[in-house]
Amino acid sequence: MYDRFTIFCDKNELEKFSGAELPVDEFQSYNACPTQPLPVVTSARPKMIQFFHWGLTQQMANNKSISPRLFNLTRESALSRPAYKKSLQISRCVILANGFYMWKQVSKKQKVPYFCHFPHHVPFGIAGIYEEFEDLEEKLSHTFNMITVSAGPKLSAYQEDMPAILTKEQCEKWLDETAEDAELVSILDDITDTRLSMHSVSPRISDPANNDEGLIKPSTPSDQFGNYTLFS
């Protein structure tokens, strides 16, 4: 399950990578979480960065726990389930990020958080799909779901899956409205983690209220309860 990522590069770098305009002076998050409005580029508006809610709107979540299926979508489900397959054909998006967090299970009850990123924290995309609907107040709202694929050789020792991270070229292909199903499958099957670096970080990332640069700093491996562990 992936429920945390980061996007903290400056506006010029983000616009250059995405080929789209950021409609605000800046946007940074070291702890992007489900229900938050976060930057995406859609196949319908590839030249504008928009802010969609991850999984559910905050109003819809209403402080209740959120099913991982609303914010993580496996490659297999995206390609085979009719509802998702339709969204994959007409409602694709790229989630803009420059890092993500994962939890390594080190014992039955212990898991240690790690931060994963490319060199110099350069931005990348994550393949996703989005939905447009009327919310509880009959206002037009948008949500997105992050697609995950089988972990590559670097991440497989940590988790079985990984976000479907995309290069700039893959982002352009993913957002191409004329792309055929076979091309989308090819993109998802050609994702690699070879350029990723990772290090353990503070379990403070588990609290959405924490959102500061210290979250990405290397930290002695400790579990979700703050207990130090000998496992790395």
Side-chain angles (χ1 to χ4, degrees), residues 38-96:
L38 298 165
V40 302
V41 180
T42 69
S43 51
R45 296 188 67 187
K47 296 301 181 181
M48 177 63 68
I49 297 173
Q50 302 179 77
F51 288 83
F52 290 0
H53 292 269
W54 189 7
L56 284 176
T57 66
Q58 293 166 332
Q59 180 188 40
M60 293 170 66
N62 197 26
N63 295 321
K64 298 178 181 178
S65 59
I66 307 172
S67 168
R69 291 176 297 178
L70 295 174
F71 54 84
N72 277 183
L73 176 64
T74 66
R75 170 199 176 279
E76 290 72 22
S77 293
L79 295 175
S80 63
R81 296 190 179 182
Y84 294 138
K85 192 172 182 180
K86 182 177 180 181
S87 294
L88 193 66
Q89 292 170 338
I90 64 174
S91 302
R92 295 187 301 280
C93 67
V94 167
I95 305 152
L96 299 176

Side-chain angles (χ1 to χ4, degrees), residues 87-148:
S87 294
L88 193 66
Q89 292 170 338
I90 64 174
S91 302
R92 295 187 301 280
C93 67
V94 167
I95 305 152
L96 299 176
N98 65 347
F100 59 89
Y101 299 97
M102 65 180 181
W103 294 85
K104 181 181 181 181
Q105 199 79 35
V106 295
S107 71
K108 187 175 182 180
K109 295 184 178 181
Q110 286 184 299
K111 52 185 181 179
V112 174
Y114 283 78
F115 178 58
C116 306
H117 60 93
F118 286 153
H120 310 296
H121 298 143
V122 297
F124 54 83
I126 302 175
I129 59 173
Y130 71 94
E131 181 181 3
E132 180 178 285
F133 60 94
E134 286 190 352
D135 64 17
L136 300 178
E137 297 178 350
E138 298 185 350
K139 294 180 181 179
L140 196 63
S141 292
H142 299 85
T143 60
F144 71 85
N145 199 330
M146 176 187 293
I147 295 178
T148 62

Side-chain angles (χ1 to χ4, degrees), residues 118-190:
F118 286 153
H120 310 296
H121 298 143
V122 297
F124 54 83
I126 302 175
I129 59 173
Y130 71 94
E131 181 181 3
E132 180 178 285
F133 60 94
E134 286 190 352
D135 64 17
L136 300 178
E137 297 178 350
E138 298 185 350
K139 294 180 181 179
L140 196 63
S141 292
H142 299 85
T143 60
F144 71 85
N145 199 330
M146 176 187 293
I147 295 178
T148 62
V149 296
S150 296
K154 274 196 171 182
L155 295 189
S156 59
Y158 296 79
Q159 287 199 184
E160 294 181 352
D161 60 352
M162 60 180 278
I165 54 177
L166 306 174
T167 64
K168 181 178 177 65
E169 181 183 15
Q170 288 173 321
C171 287
E172 293 172 354
K173 292 180 179 179
W174 185 257
L175 295 176
D176 184 353
E177 288 191 306
T178 66
E180 300 290 340
D181 289 353
E183 294 177 276
L184 302 178
V185 172
S186 177
I187 293 171
L188 295 179
D189 288 346
D190 196 33

